[in-house]
Amino acid sequence: MSGQIIGLQDWFETAPGQYLLAWEQAQFDQAVADIFGYHAIQLGLSSVEALRANRMPHRWLASADAVKPRRAALLTDFAALPFTANSLDLMVLPHTLELSPDPHATLREVERVLVPEGRVIICGLNPASLWGMRQRRAHLYRRMGFGELFLPEAGDFIGYWRMRDWLRLLSFEVESGRFGVYRPAVRSETWLERYRWLDTAGERWWPIFGAVYFLVAVKRVRGMRLLSADWRRASQRASAPVPIAGRVHREPHSHPPTSEGHGS
């Protein structure tokens, strides 16, 4: 796990890595700005500050790397988080699942620790993209004895629709989803700039082929009914005594005792 995360962080220092990181940072900033609560946590990848635009009072970065990043508040196994059930309001997973040795277990832990109606934000590399196709071709060439990978070798890319299926099985409801990063898989910053126009064209004409996807999902609990903010006042009103019009309370008549056998 350690080598996987470090490999991706090193890749973020390259020109295509910086391009991808800038897009993801903008998406996180927009997505977390209006999510409210008390506790939020980012699982892994300190290269992106996924919670910097959020206003919750308690925000942490967790790492699964043996060499804890400078900003990380805790070191933990993502498949066994040290939090009680239903205790976190927001979790962000930047490439966390594709780098996890057991992504299913990690996602189950996310579902366990999130409060009902809590949110999880996930971003991952899209295997059905120009970048994903170049990576698969590079793997083929390497088996033939030549070629160089474009993306980090570690990790198993999880497709967008496959990720949605996983979330649905855990009773998450996908609130929003989008793709981004449409420029071709080139290493040069100069060539990436020349293809800048593809970001607009790709988003319009072939949106599902972006190099990365971004999902926001809500934890739903079946049978749960959210109470409105004035539920206490409503309860008090319901239990208050109510006079009944037209009803008069009468004391029972008292009859004086009768005397028998009066003398004449």
Side-chain angles (χ1 to χ4, degrees):
M1 187 71 177
S2 172
Q4 295 177 3
I5 294 178
I6 291 174
L8 186 59
Q9 288 181 334
D10 288 342
W11 183 81
F12 273 126
E13 299 299 323
T14 66
Q18 289 290 302
Y19 163 49
L20 178 68
L21 186 63
W23 186 86
E24 291 181 347
Q25 186 68 69
Q27 303 310 306
F28 278 116
D29 287 347
Q30 181 179 0
V32 306
D34 295 324
I35 298 178
F36 301 100
Y38 296 97
H39 304 98
I41 190 167
Q42 173 180 338
L43 297 185
L45 199 61
S46 60
S47 298
V48 58
E49 297 182 60
L51 294 172
R52 72 179 185 183
N54 185 259
R55 289 170 282 180
M56 292 189 195
H58 306 291
R59 292 167 291 161
W60 306 290
L61 169 66
S63 174
D65 193 352
V67 181
K68 189 169 71 170
R70 182 182 58 188
R71 294 192 302 109
L74 69 153
L75 179 65
T76 182
D77 181 357
F78 293 164
L81 296 171
F83 302 102
T84 58
N86 305 318
S87 59
L88 300 178
D89 300 284
L90 169 63
M91 301 187 71
V92 293
L93 281 64
H95 302 282
T96 306
L97 296 176
E98 62 197 27
L99 292 172
S100 172
D102 191 345
H104 293 91
T106 298
L107 199 56
R108 283 195 297 270
E109 273 294 274
V110 169
E111 190 277 335
R112 181 184 70 83
V113 301
L114 272 178
V115 300
E117 303 300 307
R119 283 169 170 76
V120 59
I121 302 177
I122 300 170
C123 71
L125 291 167
N126 180 18
S129 65
L130 293 176
W131 291 24
M133 288 187 287
R134 173 163 177 174
Q135 186 79 347
R136 289 196 298 274
R137 185 184 65 183
H139 277 296
L140 176 62
Y141 287 167
R142 289 188 71 184
R143 287 196 292 269
M144 299 168 60
F146 60 94
E148 183 179 359
L149 296 178
F150 178 71
L151 299 168
E153 183 175 9
D156 181 19
F157 302 154
I158 304 167
Y160 174 80
W161 297 108
R162 184 180 171 197
M163 182 66 71
R164 289 181 66 112
D165 287 340
W166 288 7
L167 290 167
R168 190 179 300 111
L169 288 173
L170 290 173
S171 299
F172 281 98
E173 179 182 324
V174 175
E175 191 174 61
S176 63
R178 65 169 306 182
F179 294 83
V181 181
Y182 296 95
R183 304 178 203 180
V186 294
R187 299 183 185 278
S188 167
E189 183 176 356
T190 302
W191 279 102
L192 282 171
E193 284 299 314
R194 289 181 179 178
Y195 287 111
R196 176 186 290 271
W197 60 274
L198 282 175
D199 284 334
T200 303
E203 190 168 352
R204 179 176 181 181
W205 298 109
W206 52 89
I208 64 172
F209 296 118
V212 63
Y213 59 83
F214 192 89
L215 281 169
V216 180
V218 184
K219 176 182 173 180
R220 301 297 191 196
V221 177
R222 295 175 183 173
M224 186 189 71
R225 179 169 174 257
L226 291 179
L227 298 176
S228 62
D230 63 343
W231 68 273
R232 289 184 184 274
R233 294 191 296 273
S235 176
Q236 292 168 357
R237 289 195 299 268
S239 61
V242 179
I244 302 176
R247 179 175 177 179
V248 179
H249 182 70
R250 300 178 183 274
E251 292 292 334
H253 292 291
S254 58
H255 300 279
T258 59
S259 59
E260 294 182 358
H262 292 288
S264 53

